[in-house]
Amino acid sequence: MVAKRPTKILSVKDQIAEQLRSDIISGELAPNTKLNEKELAERFGLSRGPIRDVILQLTKEGLLISKNNCGASVNSLLDPKLQKLMISLRRNIELFAIDQLKDSLTEDDFQDLENILIELQAAFDNEDYTEVTKVDISFHNYLIYKAGGDELVNIWYPYVMRMRLNYKRLTTSSACVDEHRLILDALKSGDINKAAKAVKANIK
């Protein structure tokens, strides 16, 4: 029987942020869609204060853009040149992280990462591509956090979320899961060079 990762208890604001992330990743909230604080407050049954906090958080992540006197809207798609730059920056951060992970991951870490891959396959099997994206991000987030804690995550996370607005690279479940499997297997064997090559192949 596979051990489940402990369920993280989210605050109300975190739950709302997670729902809006899902809406943006799925395309339900399309690029350039303006967000209405009053409507969101009514949707989630809250005052506008917490909604404002969530909007600020998602703006910092790069999913939303806020302008004075214009409110917040879903960020636009990246220009191809900027998308290429984002990919390069994200790849460099993850390669840095992989280098920091040499001989530092425990058996518990490897089991957690195995469980994430099981979740990734399950999301594909359910054809829930929003969940696929979120689980994919969680795999990389786990490694980034283990390499550099919140400080490195805070540098890396906005690049990943901003890229997701342009993300169209879903192929087959086997290809996606296999790419992450190669990263994990290389880390298990302690082959940092092989893990770095697998990360390069996955981020494109």
Side-chain angles (χ1 to χ4, degrees), residues 14-193:
D14 285 340
Q15 290 177 48
I16 294 170
E18 188 65 13
Q19 182 58 58
L20 291 178
R21 281 191 205 98
S22 295
D23 292 347
I24 293 168
I25 290 169
S26 69
E28 186 173 331
L29 284 173
N32 304 311
T33 300
K34 189 168 182 180
L35 299 187
N36 184 296
E37 285 184 11
K38 183 172 181 292
E39 290 177 0
L40 288 174
E42 290 173 354
R43 172 184 173 184
F44 294 109
L46 294 172
S47 67
R48 293 170 71 167
I51 297 298
R52 210 168 283 128
D53 290 341
V54 170
I55 287 174
L56 179 60
Q57 181 181 339
L58 297 185
T59 299
K60 289 179 179 177
E61 292 176 11
L63 289 175
L64 301 179
I65 185 167
S66 296
K67 295 180 180 178
N68 290 336
N69 304 317
C70 295
S73 58
V74 179
N75 221 331
S76 59
L77 295 179
L78 283 167
D79 174 274
K81 289 182 180 179
L82 285 177
Q83 176 76 352
K84 188 175 180 180
L85 175 61
M86 285 276 192
I87 290 170
S88 176
L89 292 168
R90 177 190 167 186
R91 187 183 289 133
N92 285 337
I93 294 169
E94 296 210 19
L95 291 176
F96 171 84
I98 290 293
D99 194 51
Q100 306 306 304
L101 290 173
K102 185 174 176 61
D103 301 325
S104 67
L105 294 175
T106 67
E107 288 303 316
D108 284 344
D109 291 326
F110 291 135
Q111 186 59 65
D112 285 343
L113 290 163
E114 288 282 0
N115 289 342
I116 293 174
L117 293 189
I118 291 170
E119 293 174 14
L120 185 61
Q121 184 62 61
F124 267 111
D125 292 344
N126 293 330
E127 298 184 357
D128 185 346
Y129 296 110
T130 299
E131 186 65 15
V132 165
T133 298
K134 289 161 70 174
V135 176
D136 183 331
I137 291 171
S138 77
F139 180 92
H140 294 270
N141 189 96
Y142 192 103
L143 297 177
I144 296 291
Y145 182 80
K146 294 300 292 189
D150 287 330
E151 187 172 12
L152 190 58
V153 169
N154 289 339
I155 294 170
W156 166 84
Y157 196 69
Y159 291 118
V160 178
M161 298 311 291
R162 188 75 174 87
M163 283 170 58
R164 291 293 142 172
L165 296 174
N166 286 53
Y167 197 59
K168 304 291 184 200
R169 206 181 66 81
L170 285 177
T171 51
T172 64
S173 64
S174 60
C176 182
V177 175
D178 287 351
E179 286 179 10
H180 292 83
R181 165 63 58 195
L182 286 172
I183 298 170
L184 178 53
D185 287 349
L187 289 170
K188 279 184 174 181
S189 68
D191 192 334
I192 294 300
N193 288 335

